[in-house]
Amino acid sequence: MFTLPQKDLSAPTTCLGPTCMQDLGSSHGDDLEGECSRKLDQKLPELLGVGDPAILSSDTSYLSSRGRMIKWFWDSAEEGYRTYHMDEYDEDKNPSGIINLGVSENKLCSDLLSWRLSQSDMQRVEPSLLQYADWRGHLFLREEVAKFLSFYCKSPAPLRPENVVVLNGGASLFSALATVLCEAREAFLIPTPYYGAITQHVCLYGNVRLAYVYLDSEVTGLDTRPFQLTVEKLETALREAHSEGVKVKGLILINPQNPLGDIYSPEELQEYLVFAKRHKLHVIVDEVYMLSVFEESVGYRSVLSLERLPDPQRTHVMWATSKDFGMSGLRFGTLYTENQDVATAVASLCRYHGLSGLVQYQMAQLLRDRDWINQVYLPENHARLKAAHTYVSEELRALGIPFLSRGAGFFIWVDLRKYLPKGTFEEEMLLWRRFLDNKVLLSFGKAFECKEPGWFRFVFSDQAHRLCLGMQRVRQVLAGKSQVAEDPPPSQSQEPSDQRR
């Protein structure tokens, strides 16, 4: 059986969106995107400025128009994830259940994290932790976040705790920022393909839209890689949004990027920020995968490492523990912004998105344990990510399937266009459903607003036995077989040629 390395340790053109639902359910926050099916002819209700209000069900008379819109998001997005949870794979109890290679979660280091979070220094209860705190977060936590980001983002000067706000996850951060930065029906520019749950995050409270900057897989002109973002493409998207009468208030960047795994160079970041300053746009930089760069040859630079931000009052940086520390269920996210008006407005919303005092104490203890993070967690996490990535990459190469992967994140962007005879999104959906029927959940390209049908995101950050079985089921679907594969006997297990134990 394929084994991950373990130590004996006790983890364009612009389209105004949203036009479809990419998330699987708002209750799962920022860990879900695109793992769902949707009706291809569904459009967003008129409440958001596009689409046909007739899709709102007549049986929702108990709800306000906002409530009906929120329910619509849930109803239109639920199928894939609901199906998965009704038939979730279990090695012993349900070996023919669904393998989840669709949700971007790191399941490789739960042993390391469980050990660290169960140590005695994490178990502390004192009166101040049981009472209301500053809505920005306890000062002791904001001080640790500032030190943590200063060190790992390599900021040229120490970051300041008064610029830190803590919330319960990245989804809340997107939602709060959209609400305080934009008027209803204004928009953010966002390059596609992108992490699709952002559609819900910016819409449900703030009624904010997304203006898509479509990127192509074909390398043309001055591009040096597929799906490359350039200032020229941003300018074109901004002009087209304005021509449609939509006011654009900001730009969203994800670095490292989801689902591409792209890493923006310091020069590219500077160009994007200068573009935003020229047009007086806010920039939200989501760096939630910044410590999940597992290829040593890949150079990652945080936007906070730049010597001088072109417009610091309009640059807002997000980070969370959900990805880099495999804690998507714990719900911790942080905003760093030098704009005190923005920080105060977001902090006010922490009344609804705050963290308990006990969780804040645990997070502070974790973030200050630099020795454990640097000497134990990060090296082992990177080794396990690299081994799992190598295994899935070799499986795809054996099948003759092209893919993109940059050595960051938990996913590979896979080109299955040759399996779509007519090259349509309807065929993409049918292929996605064949995977689900054969008990493997993937994310399809349209959920990320990819303009080209046939791209899928494969998540590889899972335990070896589930990963191997999931890829076995993928092979069966692509070979035209539909039977469900159960766990093979150990003697029949396949191993990659280059694995670390």
Side-chain angles (χ1 to χ4, degrees):
M1 178 65 72
F2 161 61
T3 304
L4 299 173
Q6 307 241 354
K7 295 179 182 178
D8 185 15
L9 301 161
S10 304
T13 56
T14 302
C15 174
L16 291 175
T19 57
C20 70
M21 187 53 242
Q22 292 90 359
D23 199 24
L24 288 182
S26 57
S27 67
H28 296 282
D30 64 347
D31 57 344
L32 305 175
E33 71 289 339
E35 297 84 356
C36 61
S37 173
R38 64 178 180 84
K39 297 179 181 178
L40 293 174
D41 59 349
Q42 278 186 321
K43 296 180 180 180
L44 199 63
E46 187 65 33
L47 179 63
L48 301 182
V50 294
D52 181 359
I55 68 166
L56 291 175
S57 172
S58 60
D59 65 358
T60 57
S61 59
Y62 294 106
L63 300 176
S64 67
S65 59
R66 289 189 300 272
R68 292 197 299 274
M69 181 268 291
I70 291 168
K71 182 177 182 296
W72 178 88
F73 267 109
W74 177 270
D75 291 343
S76 64
E78 180 74 356
E79 179 185 355
Y81 206 69
R82 181 175 59 233
T83 302
Y84 163 66
H85 272 302
M86 290 191 301
D87 190 18
E88 187 172 346
Y89 169 85
D90 183 275
E91 187 175 7
D92 301 314
K93 299 177 181 178
N94 190 21
S96 63
I98 296 172
I99 297 287
N100 184 354
L101 302 184
V103 177
S104 182
E105 291 183 297
N106 186 349
K107 302 175 182 177
L108 294 172
C109 290
S110 56
D111 58 329
L112 306 183
L113 294 162
S114 296
W115 179 86
R116 183 64 190 91
L117 293 174
S118 63
Q119 296 306 294
S120 59
D121 67 321
M122 291 286 181
Q123 316 305 317
R124 181 177 178 181
V125 178
E126 59 183 43
S128 64
L129 300 178
L130 304 177
Q131 298 161 0
Y132 292 126
D134 185 335
W135 291 119
R136 294 177 185 233
H138 278 287
L139 178 59
F140 66 77
L141 175 57
R142 290 187 285 119
E143 288 175 340
E144 290 303 328
V145 168
K147 294 174 185 176
F148 178 90
L149 294 179
S150 296
F151 181 82
Y152 289 103
C153 295
K154 297 180 171 61
S155 61
L159 301 178
R160 299 162 59 185
E162 58 264 35
N163 297 336
V164 173
V165 184
V166 296
L167 294 83
N168 60 344
S172 298
L173 281 166
F174 271 118
S175 179
L177 284 169
T179 301
V180 305
L181 296 179
C182 299
E183 302 293 346
R185 301 195 183 192
E186 292 181 339
F188 287 107
L189 289 175
I190 191 166
T192 76
Y194 74 98
Y195 163 61
I198 295 173
T199 302
Q200 246 196 77
H201 302 340
V202 304
C203 171
L204 289 187
Y205 283 170
N207 193 5
V208 175
R209 309 168 75 182
L210 297 175
Y212 300 143
V213 186
Y214 285 119
L215 307 180
D216 299 296
S217 65
E218 184 179 356
V219 178
T220 59
L222 299 177
D223 292 354
T224 59
R225 63 183 186 272
F227 298 105
Q228 184 170 348
L229 177 64
T230 64
V231 170
E232 181 182 6
K233 295 171 186 176
L234 288 169
E235 293 280 8
T236 299
L238 183 62
R239 285 195 303 270
E240 293 188 359
H242 288 165
S243 71
E244 297 182 18
V246 174
K247 186 173 183 179
V248 174
K249 291 293 289 290
L251 167 66
I252 295 174
L253 298 173
I254 307 170
N255 187 39
Q257 211 269 357
N258 178 5
L260 300 176
D262 257 1
I263 293 176
Y264 299 129
S265 69
E267 294 75 21
E268 288 174 321
L269 284 172
Q270 193 74 23
E271 290 174 0
Y272 306 151
L273 294 173
V274 169
F275 156 81
K277 180 180 181 180
R278 183 162 59 247
H279 296 284
K280 297 183 179 179
L281 302 179
H282 291 273
V283 182
I284 299 174
V285 186
D286 180 359
E287 298 191 343
V288 73
Y289 291 98
M290 74 171 184
L291 298 182
S292 298
V293 181
F294 54 86
E295 288 289 354
E296 294 181 2
S297 60
V298 176
Y300 172 77
R301 288 278 300 276
S302 166
V303 70
L304 293 174
S305 72
L306 300 181
E307 286 294 332
R308 181 176 300 175
L309 294 175
D311 192 353
Q313 290 297 303
R314 289 191 178 93
T315 304
H316 319 293
V317 184
M318 295 171 43
W319 181 77
T321 54
S322 57
K323 310 302 182 181
D324 287 339
F325 282 93
M327 297 179 178
S328 52
L330 194 129
R331 315 310 303 137
F332 170 81
T334 186
L335 167 69
Y336 190 85
T337 178
E338 294 186 21
N339 189 315
Q340 289 304 301
D341 290 338
V342 173
T344 300
V346 169
S348 182
L349 292 175
C350 289
R351 294 172 182 268
Y352 318 112
H353 302 293
L355 300 169
S356 75
L358 299 179
V359 170
Q360 292 192 49
Y361 175 78
Q362 288 184 315
M363 288 297 94
Q365 289 298 102
L366 178 69
L367 298 181
R368 68 163 53 102
D369 193 354
R370 205 73 55 77
D371 288 343
W372 181 81
I373 293 173
N374 292 337
Q375 298 173 22
V376 178
Y377 179 74
L378 286 180
E380 187 66 11
N381 185 40
H382 290 166
R384 295 181 189 185
L385 284 170
K386 187 171 184 177
H389 173 269
T390 298
Y391 171 72
V392 174
S393 298
E394 290 180 353
E395 289 288 299
L396 292 169
R397 290 191 186 98
L399 291 168
I401 295 173
F403 60 90
L404 300 177
S405 184
R406 314 295 190 192
F410 308 153
F411 31 75
I412 298 176
W413 191 235
V414 179
D415 182 0
L416 298 182
R417 287 180 290 179
K418 68 181 181 180
Y419 295 96
L420 309 185
K422 298 180 181 179
T424 67
F425 284 113
E426 288 80 3
E427 289 177 317
E428 178 183 273
M429 179 59 64
L430 290 173
L431 180 56
W432 174 85
R433 194 174 298 280
R434 284 173 55 200
F435 285 126
L436 188 60
D437 290 343
N438 207 49
K439 304 300 183 75
V440 60
L441 178 63
L442 298 173
S443 300
F444 55 87
K446 183 60 179 174
F448 302 92
E449 286 301 330
C450 184
K451 67 181 295 187
E452 303 168 4
W455 290 87
F456 284 74
R457 193 190 68 176
F458 284 48
V459 173
F460 58 80
S461 50
D462 204 346
Q463 295 295 323
H465 64 283
R466 289 193 293 265
L467 206 54
C468 292
L469 184 55
M471 290 306 298
Q472 180 182 340
R473 294 176 180 179
V474 167
R475 288 196 301 271
Q476 290 178 338
V477 170
L478 298 180
K481 302 175 182 179
S482 60
Q483 69 268 24
V484 175
E486 297 189 6
D487 273 320
S491 61
Q492 299 176 11
S493 300
Q494 297 184 349
E495 294 186 359
S497 58
D498 179 21
Q499 59 179 311
R500 300 179 61 183
R501 297 188 183 276

